[in-house]
C-alpha cells in the first residue's frame, strides 16, 4: 500500500472515530443528568458506559496515528501492529465493562427492590441513545469493512454494546414503572454476557494475529487459484500467511521451469504479486521465492555451489589453448545430473575449431574429477 493510500485510509478512520467521540460525549452527559434527575441508576450507569467509549475512541485515534507511520530503520515492517495492540486494549475495556455490569446488577438483585421509581424522560433518553448508538455501529462497521480495520470493527462493537445497554435501560425502567423491579438487573446481566463474548472474540482475534496465525484455508485457496492461473507458474511449493494491522502478509514459494533465466523468473514472481494485490485488496506485503521444477539432485553435490571450482578447472583447460574463462559463458542447472552448458564466444570457437568435444571433456575431467558426474555440453563448437 502506497503512502498516499495509507494517508487516505487513516484520514477516513480518524473521521469515523471523531464522529463517534462527539456523540459519545453528548449522550454520556445527557444520560447521566437525566438518570440523576429521573431516579434511574441504570441510565446513570449507561451514561458512564457512553463516556467510557470516549476512552476507546482515544485508543483508536492514537493507534491509527501511530500505526499509520511509515516504516523506519527500527521498524522496517511498519507500525501496523499498533492497531492490533489497540484492538486488544479495546477488548479488555469491553470485558471490564461486562464484568462491571454483571457485578452491579447481581448486587442489585441480592439487595432486593429499590424504593425509587424512574420517570418517563428516562425512557425517552434511552430510546434516543439506542437509535444513535445503533446508527453509529453501522456507520463505523461499514468503514471498518471498507478499510479492513479490526480496530475500527472493535470500536463499532463497543458502540453496539452501548446500544444494548440502552435497551437494558428501556426494559429495566419500563419494568420498574410497571412494578417488575428485577427486570432491569436480569436484562443487564444478559447484555453483559453478550458484551463479554464480543470482547473475548476481539481478544482472540488480536492474539491470533500477534502469534502469526494463518488466515482461513478457504481464503488461502482463493489465492492459490489465482496463482496457478499465471502462465509460467508450474506449482505452489509453499504458501505461508499471517496478518498485521488488518492486512494479510504472504510468503510464497513458486515452482517455474528449470531453464528460465533469473530475470524471467523474477518477472513471473512480480506478476503474481501484482495480480494478487489487485484482486485481493486485503493483501499487504508479499515475499516470493522462486524454485526450479527440476528433479532434486541426489548426489553429494545437492547443496554445493560448484561454479567456483568448475570455473577454475575450465580456466586451466582454456589456458592451454591461449584462452581463459572470460571467453566462455557458463550456465548451470541443478538437476539430476547437474547440467553444465559452456557457450563459446567467437574467439573460443576459432581456437577450438578442430578440437573434438570428447577430448575437451576428458581434459576437464583430469583437471577436476567431479566433472565425470556432470552432464557437460559445449555449444557453438564444430567437432571433427
Amino acid at each position: 500500500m502506497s503512502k498516499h493510500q495509507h494517508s487516505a485510509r487513516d484520514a477516513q478512520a480518524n473521521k469515523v472515530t471523531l464522529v463517534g467521540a462527539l456523540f459519545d460525549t453528548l449522550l454520556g452527559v445527557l444520560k447521566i443528568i437525566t438518570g440523576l434527575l429521573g431516579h434511574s441508576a441504570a441510565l446513570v450507569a449507561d451514561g458512564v458506559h457512553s463516556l467510557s467509549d470516549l476512552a476507546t475512541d482515544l485508543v483508536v485515534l492514537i493507534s491509527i496515528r501511530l500505526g499509520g507511520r511509515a516504516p523506519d530503520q527500527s521498524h522496517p515492517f511498519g507500525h501496523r501492529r499498533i492497531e492490533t495492540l489497540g484492538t486488544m486494549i479495546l477488548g479488555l475495556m469491553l470485558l471490564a465493562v461486562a464484568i462491571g455490569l454483571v457485578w452491579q446488577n447481581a448486587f442489585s438483585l441480592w439487595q432486593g427492590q429499590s424504593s425509587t421509581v424512574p420517570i418517563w424522560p428516562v425512557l425517552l433518553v434511552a430510546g434516543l441513545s439506542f437509535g444513535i448508538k445503533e446508527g453509529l455501529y453501522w456507520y463505523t462497521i461499514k468503514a471498518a469493512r471498507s478499510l479492513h480495520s479490526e480496530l475500527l470493527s472493535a470500536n463499532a462493537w463497543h458502540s453496539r454494546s452501548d446500544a444494548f445497554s440502552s435497551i437494558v435501560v428501556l426494559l429495566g425502567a419500563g419494568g420498574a414503572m410497571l412494578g417488575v423491579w428485577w427486570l432491569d438487573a436480569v436484562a443487564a446481566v444478559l447484555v453483559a454476557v453478550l458484551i463479554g463474548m464480543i470482547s473475548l472474540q476481539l481478544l482472540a482475534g488480536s492474539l491470533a494475529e500477534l502469534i502469526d496465525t494463518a488466515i482461513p484455508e478457504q481464503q488461502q485457496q482463493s489465492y492459490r487459484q489465482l496463482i496457478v492461473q499465471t502462465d509460467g507458474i508450474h506449482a505452489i511449493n509453499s504458501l505461508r500467511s499471517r496478518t498485521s494491522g488488518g492486512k494479510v502478509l504472504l510468503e510464497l514459494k513458486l515452482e517455474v521451469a528449470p531453464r528460465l533465466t533469473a530475470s524471467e523468473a523474477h518477472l513471473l514472481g512480480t506478476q503474481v504479486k501484482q495480480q494478487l494485490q489487485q484482486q485481493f485488496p486485503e493483501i499487504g506485503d508479499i515475499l516470493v521465492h522462486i524454485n526450479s521444477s527440476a528433479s532434486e539432485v541426489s548426489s553429494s553435490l545437492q547443496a554445493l555451489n560448484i561454479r567456483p571450482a568448475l570455473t577454475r578447472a575450465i580456466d586451466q583447460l582454456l589456458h592451454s589453448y591461449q584462452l581463459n574463462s572470460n571467453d566462455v559463458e557458463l550456465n548451470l542447472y541443478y538437476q539430476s545430473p547437474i547440467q553444465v552448458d559452456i557457450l563459446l564466444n567467437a574467439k573460443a570457437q576459432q581456437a577450438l575449431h578442430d578440437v573434438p568435444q570428447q577430448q575437451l571433456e576428458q581434459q576437464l575431467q583430469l583437471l577436476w574429477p567431479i566433472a565425470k558426474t556432470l552432464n557437460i555440453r559445449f555449444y557453438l563448437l564444430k567437432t571433427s
Side-chain angles (χ1 to χ4, degrees), residues 227-228 230-236 254-258 260 268 292-293:
I227 293 171
V228 295
T230 304
D231 290 337
I233 301 298
H234 289 192
I236 303 171
L254 306 179
E255 188 175 294
V256 300
L260 288 185
L268 285 176
S292 168
S293 62

Side-chain angles (χ1 to χ4, degrees), residues 21-275:
L22 175 63
F23 280 105
D24 288 336
T25 304
L26 296 175
L27 282 175
V29 173
L30 178 62
K31 285 191 280 190
I32 289 175
I33 293 175
T34 305
L36 291 172
L37 297 177
H39 311 294
S40 174
L43 189 60
V44 172
D46 197 26
V48 174
H49 187 193
S50 292
L51 291 180
S52 74
D53 286 355
L54 279 176
T56 65
D57 292 334
L58 182 61
V59 170
V60 172
L61 289 171
I62 293 175
S63 298
I64 290 172
R65 182 174 182 84
L66 296 179
R69 289 158 56 187
D72 54 35
Q73 187 173 0
S74 300
H75 305 87
F77 295 99
H79 302 77
R80 281 294 167 190
R81 281 200 169 164
I82 293 178
E83 285 196 24
T84 309
L85 178 61
T87 303
M88 290 196 70
I89 294 174
L90 279 180
L92 291 171
M93 294 179 73
L94 278 174
L95 185 60
V97 169
I99 293 173
L101 284 172
V102 170
W103 176 266
Q104 178 185 355
N105 289 279
F107 184 73
S108 296
L109 285 172
W110 179 77
Q111 264 192 324
Q113 184 171 358
S114 174
S115 59
T116 57
V117 177
I119 57 179
W120 67 267
V122 171
L123 300 180
L124 179 63
V125 172
L128 178 65
S129 173
F130 170 76
I132 292 176
K133 296 301 289 188
E134 183 67 11
L136 279 176
Y137 164 77
W138 287 109
Y139 174 64
T140 308
I141 200 68
K142 181 180 178 181
R145 290 168 180 169
S146 172
L147 301 175
H148 305 284
S149 173
E150 288 296 325
L151 186 59
L152 277 182
S153 178
N155 207 28
W157 276 105
H158 203 169
S159 292
R160 174 161 274 191
S161 74
D162 206 5
F164 289 152
S165 296
S166 297
I167 294 178
V168 171
V169 176
L170 283 170
L171 293 175
M177 290 177 183
L178 297 174
V180 188
W181 66 269
W182 49 266
L183 187 60
D184 182 12
V186 171
V189 170
L190 293 177
V191 172
V193 171
L194 178 59
I195 295 173
M197 291 173 62
I198 294 170
S199 68
L200 292 176
Q201 183 179 1
L202 294 173
L203 290 170
S206 299
L207 182 61
E209 181 172 318
L210 290 176
I211 61 175
D212 289 335
T213 302
I215 61 175
E217 182 61 31
Q218 184 178 359
Q219 191 174 357
Q220 293 187 42
Q221 286 302 322
S222 299
Y223 300 163
R224 291 177 182 273
Q225 290 174 7
L226 179 62
I227 293 171
V228 295
Q229 291 173 4
T230 304
D231 290 337
I233 301 298
H234 289 192
I236 303 171
N237 296 142
S238 172
L239 186 156
R240 299 201 302 172
S241 63
R242 54 194 176 101
T243 56
S244 179
K247 304 298 289 185
V248 175
L249 308 180
L250 296 177
E251 295 181 16
L252 307 175
K253 290 185 178 180
L254 306 179
E255 188 175 294
V256 300
R259 297 180 71 85
L260 288 185
T261 62
S263 59
E264 188 177 359
H266 175 75
L267 179 64
L268 285 176
T270 301
Q271 183 179 350
V272 167
K273 290 174 62 175
Q274 291 174 343
Q275 290 174 343

Side-chain angles (χ1 to χ4, degrees), residues 306-341:
I306 67 170
R307 179 178 289 272
L310 179 57
T311 300
R312 288 192 295 270
I314 292 175
D315 200 54
Q316 292 179 27
L317 170 64
L318 296 177
H319 183 71
S320 61
Y321 297 97
Q322 287 75 50
L323 299 170
N324 57 53
S325 56
N326 293 327
D327 297 315
V328 301
E329 179 181 329
L330 185 62
N331 293 334
L332 299 177
Y333 302 95
Y334 282 84
Q335 51 196 52
S336 184
I338 296 177
Q339 175 71 44
V340 180
D341 292 347

